[in-house]
Amino acid sequence: MENRETIIAGLLEVNSDIFLQAMEGSGNGIVITDNRLPDNPIIYCNEAFEQLTGYSFQEIIGRNCRFLQGEVTQSTARTAIAEAIVKGEKVSVDIKNFKKNGEMFWNHLIIAPLRDLNDNIIHFIGIQEDITEMITAKMALEADIAHRNLQLQASEFYLDSIFETIREPMLVLDGQLRIVSANTQFCKTFELSNEEISGHPLTEISGGAWDIPALLELLRNVLPTKNPFEGFEMQHDFKNLGRKILLLNARQVHHHGISQDRILLAMEDVTLLRINQQRKADFISLASHEINTPLTSMKGYLQLLRREVAKRGDEGLKGSLEAALRSAGRLEQTTSTLLEIAKFQSGSVSKNLQSLNVDHFVKQIIDKLQPSYQNHQLVLSANSNTELNILPKHLEQLMFNLIDNAVKFSPDANKVVIEVNKVADNVEIRVIDSGIGVSTEDKALIFQQFYRGSNVDARFQGLGIGLYLCKEIVDQLKGSIDVRPNETQGTSFVVTLPISESSDI
């Protein structure tokens, strides 16, 4: 049985009209060479080949196909073609060719031998397809991939540099909470090496320090829910390191906006901070008690003197004693504020709340404070008719600090307005002054401890702790405090306390 190549060669020998019509109708360029003639010249090309190359039939016939290759065609394709022709084998290559006008194009070339009945190769047939657009697109894609790989390598180098230079201990975990890598600070802090912990479960290192069910549950939820967490506190007695208090934050790793199955676990060692905070709180508490003891005695003596002076009718001395008592009262309030701040910072705030009628209690506070402010009238409008569960001392401190702040920074005014209203499910307390105001820059910082506004000069004495305590009290009640400029002059401090929250504490 004759093979396909022999049949085709036979058709070619008899110059079959059907065979020629088929080749002429092809959309691909086709050439046939005569292997029996020197240098295997082209003896036939179809019209599609003329259109592909720009050469005419007369310019093509009699030439070797190499005339399309130019001088810069890659050697690998040439070598493959030459070897296939010598061996009489079929070959398929992508080769760079040139048209008559010098324009380069990529040619997908298939060359196959045609044999006679004696199995001699008498012709080669070449089929060509212009794949320039495909190759160009492929090269552009490869260039883009190479560029992106370089960017990725640069980004990874950049991220690795950051990871290694951050002073806080950090770990990268996979979805099974195995350690992918640890930064230098982690290894240094916990006296471990990257090599000995990489690939190990988090729960197995440092004697099981991180084997905390609540922490593991949070970590396992980071990837599936894309839910980071912050401020998880853990305490552990590490071997050779002693007790450490750590605040942990974790989130999914993102690169160029693409989420990855990695968790970044960062930790802050707050051991010394907590020790210093406790020492400071202990000092403030001790100092406050040491001041309050002689202060209470001093107030007692001043009150006795005031009664004696009142009996004698010495108004001048009576006024001096009243001023001394007001100053003692302010000093007592300051030490009380410091003591309460120490309690907040140490977490020892009393939970013995009482149900208070806000309107009545605020009125009692104002009646108590009014004698201390001879140049300012405290004007109250209380219409909330609401009960709150709160420490009476906290509400008193809240009102004293806000009112005292309003009076202090309104030296040219003669009144401070206090409003108490029910707004939805909240009690809203407003303390409105006509003072020097609060700048936009100070608004974000004014509730920080020891902060004093940029427009506060030597006329206004204070430690910058009153508003800080107000914020602590309001936060304890899950409320909010805000400072707002008035339309004309001065400032309004607005405290919002949720009624339901205060009732549940």
Side-chain angles (χ1 to χ4, degrees):
M1 183 177 180
E2 296 180 327
N3 60 32
R4 291 169 53 86
E5 296 173 356
T6 303
I7 293 173
I8 294 173
L11 289 172
L12 188 63
E13 286 295 308
V14 300
N15 197 19
S16 169
D17 290 339
I18 296 175
F19 185 74
L20 291 175
Q21 288 176 21
M23 290 191 290
E24 287 295 328
S26 173
N28 291 331
I30 299 175
V31 297
I32 297 175
T33 67
D34 193 334
N35 192 48
R36 296 166 297 185
L37 297 177
D39 204 24
N40 224 333
I42 298 172
I43 60 171
Y44 167 81
C45 71
N46 68 351
E47 186 177 347
F49 184 80
E50 295 180 69
Q51 294 175 355
L52 175 65
T53 63
Y55 290 95
S56 68
F57 184 85
Q58 290 75 18
E59 293 173 311
I60 296 169
I61 299 302
R63 303 177 72 177
N64 186 281
C65 292
R66 289 190 301 274
F67 81 97
L68 295 177
Q69 295 176 6
E71 297 179 358
V72 295
T73 303
Q74 67 275 30
S75 60
T76 53
R78 277 183 168 181
T79 301
I81 293 171
E83 289 179 353
I85 290 175
V86 169
K87 294 178 181 179
E89 297 175 345
K90 183 178 178 180
V91 66
S92 175
V93 295
D94 293 335
I95 189 168
K96 189 185 294 184
N97 284 168
F98 294 88
K99 299 182 180 183
K100 182 178 180 180
N101 61 7
E103 179 184 348
M104 186 275 294
F105 70 97
W106 281 97
N107 184 7
H108 179 62
L109 174 61
I110 300 174
I111 299 176
L114 299 176
R115 302 175 184 273
D116 62 15
L117 295 175
N118 297 319
D119 202 34
N120 295 314
I121 298 174
I122 57 175
H123 300 289
F124 280 94
I125 184 169
I127 302 173
Q128 285 120 91
E129 179 185 1
D130 186 348
I131 58 169
T132 306
E133 290 186 4
M134 183 180 71
I135 293 294
T136 302
K138 179 183 176 183
M139 293 173 65
L141 179 60
E142 290 174 347
D144 183 60
I145 292 173
H147 177 67
R148 289 179 180 273
N149 284 337
L150 286 174
Q151 286 185 320
L152 181 60
Q153 292 172 6
S155 298
E156 289 178 346
F157 178 76
Y158 176 70
L159 292 174
D160 286 344
S161 298
I162 295 176
F163 184 66
E164 285 300 325
T165 54
I166 287 178
R167 298 178 64 183
E168 283 74 32
M170 302 179 76
L171 289 173
V172 176
L173 310 174
D174 64 14
Q176 286 70 47
L177 305 188
R178 291 189 298 261
I179 297 171
V180 177
S181 63
N183 72 344
T184 302
Q185 190 60 38
F186 180 90
C187 297
K188 179 179 178 181
T189 300
F190 299 103
E191 298 181 353
L192 297 167
S193 69
N194 215 328
E195 293 73 18
E196 66 180 303
I197 63 175
S198 291
H200 289 269
L202 176 65
T203 54
E204 293 182 1
I205 69 169
S206 298
W210 282 273
D211 192 4
I212 304 169
L215 171 62
L216 299 178
E217 182 179 357
L218 288 172
L219 286 170
R220 291 189 183 105
N221 286 331
V222 169
L223 293 181
T225 64
K226 295 180 172 56
N227 187 25
F229 66 84
E230 295 181 356
F232 181 90
E233 182 174 316
M234 66 166 283
Q235 300 184 31
H236 187 77
D237 290 316
F238 289 87
K239 184 179 180 181
N240 302 327
L241 300 176
R243 189 164 190 79
K244 285 190 175 292
I245 303 173
L246 304 172
L247 291 181
L248 308 182
N249 303 330
R251 64 178 53 247
Q252 187 173 18
V253 175
H254 293 266
H255 184 71
H256 289 296
I258 300 174
S259 300
Q260 300 183 1
D261 60 343
R262 294 288 185 268
I263 301 169
L264 181 64
L265 177 62
M267 52 202 74
E268 179 184 4
D269 187 348
V270 296
T271 309
L272 291 178
L273 176 63
R274 293 294 172 81
I275 292 173
N276 290 334
Q277 284 179 339
Q278 187 59 49
R279 287 174 177 171
K280 183 176 71 173
D282 292 343
F283 171 76
I284 292 174
S285 177
L286 178 62
S288 297
H289 283 300
E290 289 297 318
I291 293 173
N292 273 332
T293 300
L295 182 60
T296 301
S297 176
M298 182 178 70
K299 283 181 65 178
Y301 285 121
L302 286 173
Q303 289 168 351
L304 287 174
L305 286 173
R306 182 176 62 181
R307 285 197 292 269
E308 290 299 320
V309 168
K311 292 177 183 179
R312 299 178 185 180
D314 190 337
E315 293 299 323
L317 188 55
K318 179 183 177 181
S320 298
L321 287 171
E322 291 288 353
L325 280 168
R326 287 196 296 273
S327 296
R330 292 183 63 81
L331 180 57
E332 184 179 42
Q333 189 63 45
T334 298
T335 56
S336 177
T337 297
L338 287 169
L339 183 59
E340 201 62 34
I341 288 174
K343 289 179 180 178
F344 272 105
Q345 292 180 340
S346 63
S348 59
V349 179
S350 174
K351 298 292 185 179
N352 298 322
L353 308 183
Q354 297 181 26
S355 180
L356 298 176
N357 183 292
V358 181
D359 297 347
H360 295 164
F361 194 77
V362 170
K363 184 177 185 307
Q364 292 175 13
I365 295 171
I366 289 175
D367 290 343
K368 179 181 177 180
L369 293 177
Q370 182 62 79
S372 300
Y373 304 114
Q374 297 181 339
N375 298 324
H376 290 77
Q377 181 184 3
L378 305 182
V379 181
L380 173 65
S381 173
N383 303 295
S384 73
N385 192 28
T386 302
E387 299 278 331
L388 276 182
N389 278 350
I390 190 172
L391 278 174
K393 184 178 182 180
H394 280 176
L395 185 54
E396 183 175 356
Q397 287 173 322
L398 177 67
M399 296 308 302
F400 169 78
N401 283 304
L402 291 177
I403 292 171
D404 189 63
N405 194 69
V407 170
K408 181 195 304 182
F409 294 108
S410 305
D412 299 325
N414 57 14
K415 72 175 181 179
V416 171
V417 177
I418 300 96
E419 298 177 352
V420 183
N421 294 293
K422 183 179 180 182
V423 179
D425 294 327
N426 303 301
V427 173
E428 185 180 90
I429 302 173
R430 288 177 178 261
V431 178
I432 307 165
D433 65 52
S434 301
I436 63 175
V438 176
S439 69
T440 303
E441 293 77 13
D442 291 334
K443 184 177 177 181
L445 304 171
I446 199 168
F447 296 106
Q448 292 187 5
Q449 191 175 9
F450 306 123
Y451 184 82
R452 286 170 60 80
S454 56
N455 59 345
V456 175
D457 55 36
R459 293 178 299 160
F460 306 108
Q461 297 181 352
L463 300 176
I465 58 174
L467 291 178
Y468 170 76
L469 178 59
C470 290
K471 183 70 164 57
E472 290 289 320
I473 293 171
V474 170
D475 287 347
Q476 181 77 9
L477 294 168
K478 300 181 181 179
S480 64
I481 183 169
D482 191 19
V483 54
R484 304 172 187 172
N486 297 332
E487 290 185 2
T488 54
Q489 183 181 358
T491 303
S492 294
F493 281 86
V494 182
V495 175
T496 303
L497 300 176
I499 299 170
S500 57
E501 292 287 354
S502 65
S503 301
D504 295 337
I505 292 177

